[in-house]
Amino acid sequence: MMDDLDDLLAGASRALVQPSEALVARVLADAADLQARPVWVAAVVPRAGWLAGLAALFGGAGSLVGVGSAAVVGLFFGFVQPDGLGAVSDMWAVGSVDQVDLMPQLDVLLAEE
Amino acid sequence: MPRDTLADLADEALVVLYAHGDPDAARLLAGRLLPRVLGYAGRMLADRAEAEDVAQEAMLRLWKVAPEWRQGEAKVSTWIYRVVANLCTDRLRARRRRRAEALDDVAEPADGAASVVAGMIEADRMAALDQALAALPERQREAVVLRHIEGFSNPEIAEILQIGVEAVESLTARGKRALAALLSGQRAALGYEEAE
């Protein structure tokens, strides 16, 4: 009986049920109705890649390019140390700076009051 | 996109195209999926009108989910069969509830097999198979139809029915044995007598 049953099931598998024209029309009407909604295409959210995520973190692709360029230029100057750069920095710096106190202590502030 | 090119695309790509407004994608998807889901729902519900309602509802849910569809995360066929399975389960439950309310004091037939045997006298082989399938417990029927008629693999059936693969194997084996028992002795009605 199992062989006969396999035969019967295989026959059922080959027999495709044809939907009525009315059903096809209803299904396509549903599809067209949803597609016609104004928010439809706008609702499609493309999958964001890691680069897009990084750009969003920096406030957009333009900002990311700017930050990236600055980093590359900085690295360039760090490696090549162009002639004259020391002279320019010497011109700006008056004398030597041993210590810069960026966080004055609290007692100094209290003493001023 | 030209229709010939669309026809070569996978279901998942068509869903994405539909979501982007391609007018032919829906037609192609309906042509591929509707006969299959209608056949499955028909075998589960044994009612053409109800099967059409379920098929339309399943397709509607596909259109609705299309804008959020992620290619590579799920197969459209597996997804839509899961929707159909759930819709059929809901309708079968509602049917049982209505029947219980309507026939509160009337005894249920002891076994569906008797009606299967009676039905087979005049029915053709497919009708006999459908009747025998209708007599199976719901989960066994789902597993047998998905495995042996719709041609899904056991892991795919497990995904559709949201159960383990071992449970699928057990349901399919028990369902097939029960089906053979329901149809045994009916070889002549099924047209197999000459083969002996």
Side-chain angles (χ1 to χ4, degrees), chain A residues 4 6 26 31 35 40 47, chain B residues 18 56 63 73 176 187:
Chain A
D4 297 341
D6 286 337
R26 288 203 304 273
Q35 233 175 5
W40 186 248
R47 173 178 278 182
Chain B
Y18 164 75
Q56 185 183 356
W63 308 140
E73 285 182 12
K176 212 172 157 194
R187 299 172 61 83

Side-chain angles (χ1 to χ4, degrees), chain A residues 1 4-9 12-13 17-20 23 26-28 30-31 34-35 40 44-45 47, chain B residues 18-22 27 35 38-39 43 48 52 56 63 67 70 73 125-126 129 149 176 183 187 192:
Chain A
M1 187 62 218
D4 297 341
L5 182 57
D6 286 337
D7 191 28
L8 200 58
L9 289 167
S13 179
V17 178
Q18 285 304 323
S20 64
L23 175 62
R26 288 203 304 273
V27 166
L28 292 179
D30 287 342
L34 280 170
Q35 233 175 5
W40 186 248
V44 177
V45 182
R47 173 178 278 182
Chain B
Y18 164 75
H20 282 85
D22 193 305
R27 193 174 297 279
L38 181 63
R43 287 208 159 82
R48 174 81 184 202
E52 288 201 352
Q56 185 183 356
W63 308 140
R70 299 274 180 254
E73 285 182 12
R125 296 165 72 189
M126 290 304 123
L129 175 64
I149 298 179
K176 212 172 157 194
L183 293 168
R187 299 172 61 83
Y192 289 116

Side-chain angles (χ1 to χ4, degrees), chain B residues 97-121:
Chain B
R97 210 166 36 239
R98 280 199 304 273
R99 196 182 301 159
E101 284 165 6
L103 304 174
D104 209 11
D105 298 322
V106 179
E108 289 277 325
D111 188 356
S115 60
V116 171
V117 172
M120 279 199 295
I121 296 168

Side-chain angles (χ1 to χ4, degrees), chain A:
Chain A
M1 187 62 218
M2 278 296 184
D3 287 346
D4 297 341
L5 182 57
D6 286 337
D7 191 28
L8 200 58
L9 289 167
S13 179
R14 286 189 297 270
L16 206 61
V17 178
Q18 285 304 323
S20 64
E21 285 182 17
L23 175 62
V24 174
R26 288 203 304 273
V27 166
L28 292 179
D30 287 342
D33 182 44
L34 280 170
Q35 233 175 5
R37 293 186 185 178
V39 292
W40 186 248
V41 176
V44 177
V45 182
R47 173 178 278 182
W50 67 270
L51 197 59
L54 192 64
L57 195 68
F58 280 87
S63 302
L64 182 61
V65 170
V67 170
S69 304
V72 169
V73 170
L75 273 174
F76 173 76
F77 281 134
F79 276 108
V80 300
Q81 291 189 343
D83 292 340
L85 193 62
V88 172
S89 61
D90 287 346
M91 194 170 68
W92 284 344
V94 181
S96 64
V97 178
D98 295 328
Q99 185 180 359
V100 177
D101 194 1
L102 297 175
M103 293 284 288
Q105 288 184 356
L106 191 61
D107 51 353
V108 176
L109 293 173
L110 289 172
E112 286 179 355
E113 284 185 0

